[in-house]
């Protein structure tokens, strides 16, 4: 049976300690797969899920490298927040209103947002997420 995070109720989603958007071109794929929704102005499922996760401050949000692109349809989620991302995503993140910390490997904003510049920083990224989870519990 195939399970989907998009169908989680708010109560089910709140059982998760973190939601992570991985590096690479996963974000592109998630948005591209939802092209029919983009054409009608409806938000892609990944955007709806992240919107819900961002409004739950007890869920740590982790975004690494190109994963930042998944938030392009919902720029208000990172507007005014400190982030880092891959160099070729910096302008997109700035256009979303994020405060991009260029050259920083890991940026933690508040208690619930951890971003990493590149996929090869997975160890440091994971450690920062685990620390935020421990801090929240």
């Amino acid at each position: 049976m195939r399970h989907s995070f998009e169908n989680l109720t708010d109560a089910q989603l709140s059982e998760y300690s973190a939601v992570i958007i991985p590096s690479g071109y996963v974000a592109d794929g998630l948005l591209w797969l939802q092209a029919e929704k983009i054409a009608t102005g409806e938000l892609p499922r990944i955007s709806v899920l992240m919107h819900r996760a961002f409004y739950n401050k007890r869920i740590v949000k982790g975004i690494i490298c190109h994963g930042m692109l998944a938030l392009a349809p919902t720029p208000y989620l990172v507007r005014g927040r400190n982030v880092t991302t891959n160099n070729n995503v910096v302008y997109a993140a700035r256009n979303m209103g994020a405060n991009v910390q260029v050259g920083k490997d890991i940026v933690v904003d508040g208690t619930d947002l951890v971003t990493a510049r590149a996929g090869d920083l997975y160890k440091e990224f994971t450690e920062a997420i685990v620390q935020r989870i421990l801090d929240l519990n």
Side-chain angles (χ1 to χ4, degrees), residues 8-18 52-53 56 58-59:
L8 292 175
T9 65
D10 287 338
Q12 291 169 321
L13 181 59
S14 70
E15 293 176 13
Y16 286 84
S17 297
R52 293 173 58 215
N56 185 333
R58 301 217 33 92
I59 298 174

Side-chain angles (χ1 to χ4, degrees), residues 57-71:
K57 295 296 184 186
R58 301 217 33 92
I59 298 174
V60 175
K61 279 64 72 178
I63 305 168
I64 189 166
C65 192
H66 286 78
M68 185 66 66
L69 293 174
L71 300 183

Side-chain angles (χ1 to χ4, degrees), residues 1 16 19 31 52 59 73 79-80 95 100 112 116 120 125:
M1 178 176 199
Y16 286 84
V19 175
L31 295 172
R52 293 173 58 215
I59 298 174
R79 188 171 294 128
N95 285 337
V100 181
D112 69 328
D120 61 350
F125 179 66

